Every structure is written in structure tokens, then in C-alpha cells.
Amino acid sequence: MSTADVCAAILWIGVTLYAIFGGADFGAGVWDLLAGGGQRGQSVRGQIDRSIGPVWEANHVWLIFVLVVLWTAFPTAFSAIMTTLYIPLALAALGIVLRGSGFAFRHALPGPVQGTASRVFGVASVLTPFFMGTVVGAVASGNVPAAGDGDPTASWTGFLPLVTGALFVAVAAYTAAIFLVRDSGAAGDQDLRDYFARRALIVAVVAGVAAVLGVIALRQDARFIYDGLTSWPGIALVVLSGICGLAALVLLVADRNRGLRVAAVGAGVAMIWGYFAAAFPYILPTSLTISDAAGASATLTEVIVVFGVAAVLVVPSLILLYVLSQRSALEAYSTSSEVTSPRQ
Amino acid sequence: MSSPALLLADSSSNLLAARNQMGFTLGFHIVLACFGVAFPAMMLIAEWRGRKRNDEAALRLARNWSKAVAVLFAVGAVTGTVLSFEFGLLWPRFMDRFGDAFGIAFAIEGIFFFLEAIFIAIYIYGWNRLSPRAHMWAAVPIVISGVGGAFSVIAANAWMNQPQGFKLDASGHVTDVKPLDVLFNNATGYEFFHMLLAAYMVTGFILASIYAVGMLRGRRDAYHRAGLLIPLTVAAIASPIQLFVGDTAARAIADDQPSKFAGMECIYKGGTDQTEWLGGICTDGKVKGGIGVPGLDSLLVGFSTGTNVTGLNQIPADQQPPALTMLHLSFDTMVGVGTLLFLLAVWFAIAWWRKRDLPETKWFLRAVAVSGVAAVVALEAGWIVTEVGRQPWILYKIMRTSEAVTPAQGIWWVFAFTMLLYIALFTTAALIIRALARRWRAEDLREPPTDVPYAPPREEEATA
Ligand code: HDD
Ligand code: HEM
């Protein structure tokens, strides 16, 4: 493996983690949007706040990580993508602003406008992963020329990019539902657990349909990726993804919490790495290879070193955050200045 | 209409739109970034003081501040993310050629962003359920990553002013990168310290000014006094050091970036015995309406009136910075405000030294009340000097901004929309913080006398 390949793998690790954790955040926004009003809506939103309140900002840094590694290690690919897909990318950036501020503002805003902030958060949570999906779909279908300046509209409005966009939204909603099933189950709220479990099942079917459409579209518009996914080693990851997905469904129906998240997340991870295996050695299939896109060699080494340092410093901190959050050592945002349960 | 002329017109208008877009979004983010860098330290000081001295007011300050930080940090994070997109969306040609040198600092910054986001969450959401010790320790990584984050971003910016540590290959791409030389280029040292101090000054003076306004309205309780005292002390310590660092920066620029220096000082004709112009408009080869001090500019640059200073006449016309008057007045504004803030710090220090107490006279409070806005003005003026003064280069003397810009159309529309969106963001955030303050004040009236620290929790809180 060359240093460029290692950097590509690092990039892909970032993509994977963003897809899981960032995806779960977006998905929570989708459920927030669909929660409706009344008592039920309140308790759904309450659970969403408790689940993502303390962690969404850290989750979101994975996106920064991906952008920075992309432009530092593969500047040519970054510029090609940016000059071709600037419309969906700008819309995704807008979505990020709206959902981040919508979420942060809604706790602190007074009653009447709170609903508006929530809706902004919800709608932006649907649009952002959709546009990110179209970007990935456009790259997969080879619509981004290595020199950049590809068609700014046709590149991402074809069948494959649009299906990928829809798939991203569905998978995000699914991941979120699974996390929320687990969190409400752990909080002992069986009612809410059932609520999210039902939705997880429905959206799993939607995601399945989108995935099948995606495969058809791949066969048509991205033959290289399709061939990669249907031959070794891509096929192994596709099969693994299918097994994990089915296992998650079984656990969901059987009302079991254990292993649920691992299975559901495993399905997504296997799919993401399946794509990586299928696209290899290209970063922009089939116009730009990883090694042709790679930047200066000392920079690649630096990226690897920094990633090593990050793994030592950031991973334990992230685990600490997730553990504290899951053990309810962190609580939802409150505007009050008062002490609720001092532990002096 | 000949098409080449049309193209040219298009791309130059595109350039202006892209520069405005970049400048506006950066100018917005930088204020929040200052809070991200310096606010955690203020919270930690307040919390530490509160716990150590059983100072209920300071503890309540720290707790309330962290509610405001939760909102500010979110807006800082999303506007920062927009900037990362903008590098590619607005300046793709620059990123294509130089991303692998420019990105070196940003890769490091990723680590600090993670640590900051993680520990800020633990701090903000952990007030009630973590032990005091654990809670205070959680603030330490935030303070450190604020400093580290500022270093990384500023190293990237400094490298744009003083590009070093690489060679160019035949296609104009970067090779032979020396990451350490990129990070520690000639401009990193002064830019980093100057920015770090600016962050502490901006945050400190803004916070102090909020409580000064409260005190002017008659709220002279322990809470307001602590809210004024802690941030003002921090900002007052930073102010004199800032003058020194700023002066160092100006001297370094006279050597390393003569076109920027000639622009910000409006030096049309190079030579020895340069006049220092305070204020004034730069037109027709001279400064109109300013106060000129003969020889002072040379004296400041080289400690002798015989020092030779480069003038615009020695710089090719197509390499001179634009908008000289704005550049010059921005520089003077920063220096003027910096000097006034320094005098405010001296006033505070003398009063404290004589009476061991916060001066609560009307005029002192009024001065503090305007210091926050003044510090922000200095901050923005400083960035205008740095960024506009570097023009026409995006990478000093290596790549022009006009070569870097995207050919994509419609940036003016994006810019107009972004302005509206950010103004809405700003207004909402400001209203929220005001509403929070009102709410705390209302809660305050139900509070037992403040000399009873750690009062047992009351019934209504459990249900609230
Ligand atoms: C509170 C804010 C503040 C204050 C009081 C000052 N500055 Fe400043 N200045 C900044 C905030 C700032 C900044 C953070 O906005 C800049 C932009 C880039 C940088 O490194 O710092 C800056 C840039 C900047 C530059 C250009 C640096 C470059 O282009 O690389 C010079 C020459 C000075 N400053 C000089 C001064 C002097 C002589 C000051 C005092 C009297 C002063 N500054 C006070
Ligand atoms: C790492 C830090 C920074 C980088 C890499 C950076 C980069 C850039 C780039 C690429 C441009 C467009 C090209 C140009 O006009 O020069 C620009 C412009 C600008 N930036 Fe910076 N910038 C940084 C920090 C800042 C900050 C924090 C501010 C805050 C106010 C700022 C203010 C501006 C302004 C006002 C412009 C417009 C310049 C003009 O209109 O001529 N910059 N910057």
C-alpha cells in the first residue's frame, strides 16, 4: 500500500464515521420533523434532545475532517468535485447552517418560535443528507471529470445521484431510529421504544427499495462500480451488509436491544467499504486515480501522522463523551440557571 | 459584444463577489471564534473562583455563561463549516495547486476542533451530574484546544502572507513540502500571538461591557461586579501586550510585505525620513486631511529617521493593494482603538492599585460599556488590513486572487442570501441571549440572599 492509499483509507474512515454518527444526527432530525404535536410529539422530541444534544457537535466534526483530508491529501480531486458539484454542495452547506442553528436555538427560544426552529431543524435534516447523497452518486457515476468544471446541473440530477440522495436520507433515518430504540429502551420507556422500532422497520423497507433501485442505476450509469460490487472483494462486503441488515431486522422484531446497533451499523459500514473496494484504485471513478490525485509526499506523511495522534487523543475523548452521555451523566439543555441536583 | 471582453467582465465581477462573500463570512465567524477561544477560560476562572472562595455570584456566572456558550458555539461551528466549503467553492484553483501545503495546518486543527467540541459538551451538559473537580478539569482541554485551534488556522493564514516550505513543479503544483517550515513561516509568530490576545480582548471587553451596562442601569450586585471584574481583568492584562505584539507585526510587515505596509501607511514615495500619517484620505499620490508627523514612520520601522521605507512608486502598478484609503483608515482605527483600550486598562489598574476595588464611577462604567464594540471594531479592522493589504495576491507574490477564483456564476446572489441568513442568525442569537439574561434575573429575584452559598435545592426547582 502506498502512502496515498493509506490517506485514502483515512479519508474513508472519516466518511464512515460521519455516515454513522452524522447520519444518525440527520436521521434524528427526520424523526423530529415527523413527530407531530401533542404529548407524543413532546416525548419523542425529548428523547431526541437527550440522545443527540451533547454529541451532535462532535459528530459533525467528522465532516470537517473529511473535507480537510480531501483537500490536503487529494487537492486535485477536491477542486474537481467543488467546481462541478458546487450547487448541491452549497445547498448542503446551507442545510448544515440551518439545522445546527435550528437545533441549538430551539431549546433556548421562547415557546411560540420554538416550533419554527424545530421545523427548520427537521427540514434541513432531510435536505442536507439528500444533497450529500447526490454528490456521492454523481462521483460514483463518473460525472466529475478529473480536470473539474463538469456539468453543474446534469452531473447530479441523473437517476443514480437522485436515488443515492434518497438512500442517504432513508439510511440516516434508519440509523437514527435504531439508536433511538436503544436509548429509549435503556431509559425504560417501552412505549417510545416500540414507537421507534415500528418506524425503523418501515424505513428499513424504504431503504431496501432505494438500495435495489440504486443497484439498477449503478448497472446503468456506473458500470465500473457495479462490476466491482459484484466481484471479489466487493461482493463479500455486499453479502456481509445483507446479513447484518437482516440480523438487525430480526433483533428489532424480537424486541432485543443487544447487538441491535452493531448489526444495523455493520450493514452500513460494510456497504461503505464495499464502495471503496469497488472504486479502488479510483478516487473519481474512472477519471482520476488515488495516486494521480495525491498531493506532495511529505504532506501525505503528515496526514498519516496527524491521524495517528488524533486516534490517540480524540478516540478516547469521544468514547468518554459517548459513555457519559449514555450513562446520563450529561443532561439535556436547560435555560435555567438553577442547580437541579447538586452533587457537591 | 466580443466574447473575451464579456468573459473578462464576468470573471472580475465574480472575483469581487467571491471576495465579498469570503470576507463577510470570515468576518462573522471570527467574532464567534474569539468566543470559542477565550470564553472557556473565563468560565473556568469564574468557576474556580466560585468554588474556591465560596463565591456564589462567580459560580452562578460560570453556570450562566455556559448556557450562552452552548448557543454561540453552535453558531461558530456551523459558520466555520461554511468556511471550509467556501475554500473549495470560491477558490478551487488555489486549493488545487496549494491544498497540500495550505491544508497542513488545517489537518492539525481537526484534532483541536474535536477536543474542543467534545469537552465543551461535557462541560456544558455536565454541570449538575459531574463532581466539581471533574467538571473543572473538563474545561482545561477546552482552553488548550482553543489556543491550538487558533494557532493552526492562523498558521494557514500566515502562510498565505509568507508562503514558505515548498517548491513548485513545472505544472505550478507544490512539491518538496516541508511541513514545519509551512507551519512556522515568518508571519506565524506575530499573527498567532496577536490573534490570541485579540480573542481574549474581544471576549473580555464584550462580557465586561454587558455587566457595565447592567451596573449603569442600577444593578450593582455581587453578580454584576464579578461579571465585570473577571473578564475586564483578563482583557486588561492582554491590552499592553497587544500593543507590543502589534508593533512587532507592523515592523515585520515593513520588511516582509512592503506592498502591504506601503498601502496601510499610504506611503506613495519610498525613501528615508517618512512621515507618519494619522488618518486622512489617500488620493492623487498624497494623503489629504490627515495629521502628519515628519520622520515618525521611519523611526517606528527602524528606530531612526534615516530608515528607508518602500513606497508604492517602487511597486509595479499591478501588484499594489486596492482601496488604499480603506486600508489606511482600517490600520489607524485598529491602532487608535488599541491605544484607547490600553488607556482603559491603565485606568482600571491605577484605580485598583489605589483602592483595591472596582471603580464604579459613571465614566468608568461608560468607558467599559463601549469597550466591547470597540474591540470588535479593532478586530475587523485588523483583518481588513491583513486580507485586503495582501491583495492582489491570494498567496503573496505567488498566486493572484484572480487566478484562484471559481468560474461558477451567481455568487452575487449567494452573497446577498448569505447576508440575510447571517443577519437572521445574529439577531436570533442576540435575542436568545437577552431572553436568557432576563430569565436569570427573574430567577434571581426568587433567590435566597446571596451570602448563603450552596443553598439547598428548593421544591419548585425539582418540578421546574
Ligand atoms: C482586539 C483587537 C486588536 C487590537 C487592539 C490591535 N490589533 Fe492588530 N490585528 C488584529 C487585532 C487587533 C487582528 C486579530 O484582527 C489581526 C488580523 C490578522 C492578525 O494576525 O491579527 C491584526 C492585524 C494587524 C496587522 C497586520 C498583520 C498582518 O497583515 O499579518 C498589524 C500590522 C497590526 N495588527 C498592528 C497592530 C498595532 C500596531 C496595534 C496597536 C496599537 C494593534 N494591531 C492592535
Ligand atoms: C486562516 C485564516 C484565513 C484564511 C486562510 C483566509 C483566506 C482568505 C481568502 C482565500 C480570501 C479570498 C481572497 C482574498 O480576497 O484575499 C480572503 C479574503 C478575505 N478574508 Fe481572509 N482568511 C483567513 C482569515 C480571515 C479572517 C479570520 C478574517 C476575518 C475578518 C478574514 C477576512 C477576510 C476579508 C475581509 C477578505 C476579503 C478581502 C478583500 O475583499 O480584498 N480572513 N481570506
Side-chain angles (χ1 to χ4, degrees):
Chain A
M1 245 177 145
S2 66
T3 46
D5 292 344
V6 176
C7 285
I10 288 174
L11 178 71
W12 218 242
I13 292 173
V15 168
T16 309
L17 291 164
Y18 185 57
I20 299 170
F21 294 110
D25 284 354
F26 287 124
V30 176
W31 297 123
D32 199 277
L33 184 66
L34 300 177
Q39 191 72 39
R40 170 46 71 65
Q42 290 262 313
S43 65
V44 170
R45 291 205 177 85
Q47 184 58 51
I48 289 172
D49 279 351
R50 279 190 298 280
S51 289
I52 71 172
V55 294
W56 76 267
E57 251 156 345
N59 291 344
H60 165 98
V61 183
W62 287 114
L63 172 63
I64 315 297
F65 177 89
V66 168
L67 286 172
V68 170
V69 172
L70 184 60
W71 89 49
T72 308
F74 305 104
T76 312
F78 178 73
S79 134
I81 294 171
M82 286 284 175
T83 50
T84 303
L85 298 169
Y86 54 85
I87 296 173
L89 284 165
L91 290 170
L94 171 66
I96 286 169
V97 173
L98 291 178
R99 78 178 288 282
S101 39
F103 185 70
F105 287 172
R106 77 162 173 190
H107 312 285
L109 281 170
V113 260
Q114 222 170 48
T116 312
S118 275
R119 260 187 302 282
V120 168
F121 165 61
V123 172
S125 297
V126 177
L127 294 181
T128 313
F130 174 77
F131 288 118
M132 289 179 170
T134 62
V135 169
V136 172
V139 170
S141 40
N143 292 346
V144 179
D149 297 316
D151 191 316
T153 45
S155 56
W156 61 282
T157 48
F159 185 51
L160 178 58
L162 295 182
V163 169
T164 316
L167 181 68
F168 269 42
V169 178
V171 171
Y174 174 68
T175 317
I178 297 289
F179 279 45
L180 288 163
V181 163
R182 188 264 161 209
D183 287 356
S184 45
D189 190 340
Q190 187 62 32
D191 204 32
L192 209 53
R193 187 197 185 277
D194 293 344
Y195 173 94
F196 285 121
R198 242 176 292 127
R199 275 153 187 78
L201 282 175
I202 296 170
V203 78
V205 175
V206 176
V209 173
V212 171
L213 286 177
V215 172
I216 296 172
L218 277 175
R219 210 182 120 90
Q220 249 173 33
D221 298 342
R223 192 64 203 213
F224 183 79
I225 302 290
Y226 178 81
D227 289 345
L229 284 175
T230 47
S231 61
W232 178 263
I235 186 79
L237 288 158
V238 173
V239 171
L240 179 65
S241 171
I243 295 174
C244 287
L246 283 179
L249 285 186
V250 171
L251 291 170
L252 208 52
V253 176
D255 206 6
R256 294 268 296 273
N257 258 358
R258 268 191 84 169
L260 177 59
R261 277 184 305 177
V262 176
V265 166
V269 172
M271 213 46 237
I272 292 169
W273 284 86
Y275 173 88
F276 185 78
F280 197 84
Y282 288 103
I283 190 160
L284 298 179
T286 50
S287 64
L288 188 63
T289 61
I290 290 171
S291 62
D292 285 342
S297 63
T299 303
L300 299 183
T301 313
E302 190 243 17
V303 168
I304 297 171
V305 171
V306 168
F307 181 73
V309 175
V312 172
L313 286 178
V314 173
V315 172
S317 312
L318 270 176
I319 292 175
L320 175 69
L321 175 64
Y322 292 138
V323 168
L324 288 176
S325 169
Q326 302 264 303
R327 291 212 189 126
S328 306
L330 309 178
E331 43 183 6
Y333 187 83
S334 125
T335 52
S336 168
S337 71
E338 300 182 356
V339 186
T340 45
S341 57
R343 205 218 270 170
Q344 309 284 351
Chain B
M1 263 196 293
S2 71
S3 62
L6 192 70
L7 260 180
L8 206 67
D10 266 347
S11 88
S12 69
S13 128
N14 225 27
L15 176 62
L16 196 61
R19 281 170 55 191
N20 281 327
Q21 169 79 14
M22 191 77 206
F24 176 71
T25 46
L26 274 160
F28 191 93
H29 175 72
I30 191 65
V31 181
L32 295 152
C34 284
F35 281 111
V37 171
F39 213 154
M42 311 269 178
M43 284 192 297
L44 181 59
I45 295 171
E47 185 182 358
W48 187 73
R49 195 184 148 98
R51 300 213 190 268
K52 197 163 161 154
R53 302 210 189 152
N54 263 1
D55 181 343
E56 160 75 7
L59 198 57
R60 213 144 39 82
L61 266 182
R63 185 185 293 275
N64 288 350
W65 283 349
S66 74
K67 312 276 177 193
V69 166
V71 175
L72 294 175
F73 188 72
V75 184
V78 294
T79 55
T81 310
V82 168
L83 292 174
S84 313
F85 276 89
E86 277 178 354
F87 285 147
L89 293 174
L90 298 175
W91 318 106
R93 308 285 183 259
F94 171 65
M95 298 308 282
D96 181 11
R97 282 180 60 191
F98 295 101
D100 42 347
F102 179 71
I104 285 175
F106 280 101
I108 297 174
E109 180 172 44
I111 299 181
F112 294 115
F113 277 162
F114 264 120
L115 294 177
E116 176 145 7
I118 292 168
F119 285 96
I120 227 164
I122 294 179
Y123 188 86
I124 291 174
Y125 297 102
W127 267 103
N128 292 333
R129 313 232 173 119
L130 294 176
S131 75
R133 255 180 90 89
H135 189 253
M136 281 201 281
W137 274 109
V140 173
I142 315 176
V143 175
I144 296 173
S145 38
V147 176
F151 174 84
S152 321
V153 190
I154 295 302
N157 184 260
W159 178 80
M160 294 168 69
N161 288 323
Q162 288 289 297
Q164 290 165 359
F166 63 94
K167 293 202 181 95
L168 292 180
D169 66 13
S171 67
H173 285 80
V174 173
T175 59
D176 276 339
V177 173
K178 301 204 169 57
L180 289 179
D181 291 0
V182 171
L183 280 178
F184 298 95
N185 60 70
N186 283 348
T188 305
Y190 61 81
E191 270 204 58
F192 165 58
F193 283 113
H194 202 49
M195 179 67 231
L196 188 63
L197 291 164
Y200 276 86
M201 286 176 71
V202 165
T203 310
F205 283 122
I206 287 188
L207 287 176
S209 66
I210 291 171
Y211 296 96
V213 170
M215 288 173 80
L216 282 170
R217 293 197 181 146
R219 295 185 204 106
R220 304 201 175 209
D221 46 26
Y223 179 78
H224 279 79
R225 286 170 48 87
L228 195 148
L229 193 60
I230 296 171
L232 186 62
T233 308
V234 174
I237 294 171
S239 301
I241 316 175
Q242 183 71 313
L243 290 200
F244 173 76
V245 177
D247 182 53
T248 309
R251 238 189 304 283
I253 285 169
D255 280 345
D256 297 339
Q257 301 174 63
S259 60
K260 184 185 278 181
F261 191 81
M264 74 199 202
E265 295 278 34
C266 260
I267 302 167
Y268 282 101
K269 197 162 166 304
T272 57
D273 218 357
Q274 286 292 342
T275 305
E276 170 82 35
W277 288 99
L278 304 180
I281 300 200
C282 316
T283 49
D284 302 335
K286 52 181 181 293
V287 185
K288 278 196 196 137
I291 305 167
V293 184
L296 181 62
D297 196 63
S298 288
L299 191 69
L300 286 172
V301 170
F303 305 111
S304 136
T305 51
T307 310
N308 195 356
V309 183
T310 307
L312 290 167
N313 62 334
Q314 291 155 292
I315 294 162
D318 67 345
Q319 298 187 13
Q320 295 180 4
L324 291 181
T325 302
M326 174 172 92
L327 205 52
H328 176 60
L329 291 181
S330 297
F331 182 63
D332 285 3
T333 304
M334 166 171 58
V335 177
V337 170
T339 310
L340 291 174
L341 291 175
F342 167 71
L343 293 177
L344 177 62
V346 172
W347 184 356
F348 177 47
I350 292 177
W352 185 267
W353 176 62
R354 286 177 38 191
K355 292 200 292 193
R356 299 269 135 206
D357 195 13
L358 189 66
E360 288 193 31
T361 60
K362 250 206 178 100
W363 280 106
F364 181 77
L365 292 178
R366 280 183 187 150
V368 176
V370 294
S371 67
V373 173
V376 173
V377 168
L379 173 81
E380 300 287 357
W383 278 108
I384 289 173
V385 172
T386 304
E387 302 293 319
V388 180
R390 188 186 58 237
Q391 301 305 314
W393 308 103
I394 190 166
L395 195 58
Y396 188 61
K397 291 229 174 176
I398 293 182
M399 186 181 200
R400 283 173 186 272
T401 314
S402 56
E403 301 170 80
V405 73
T406 176
Q409 292 304 304
I411 301 179
W412 283 114
W413 290 106
V414 175
F415 177 47
F417 180 78
T418 311
M419 287 231 270
L420 293 179
L421 178 68
Y422 276 29
I423 290 169
L425 274 188
F426 176 82
T427 316
T428 318
L431 288 177
I432 285 178
I433 289 176
R434 214 177 59 160
L436 284 177
R438 290 232 172 105
R439 182 176 167 157
W440 297 330
R441 230 175 290 135
E443 285 175 351
D444 212 24
L445 298 178
R446 300 190 274 117
E447 205 83 4
T450 44
D451 54 0
V452 188
Y454 306 119
R458 281 160 290 138
E459 284 306 307
E460 52 198 310
E461 285 161 10
T463 52

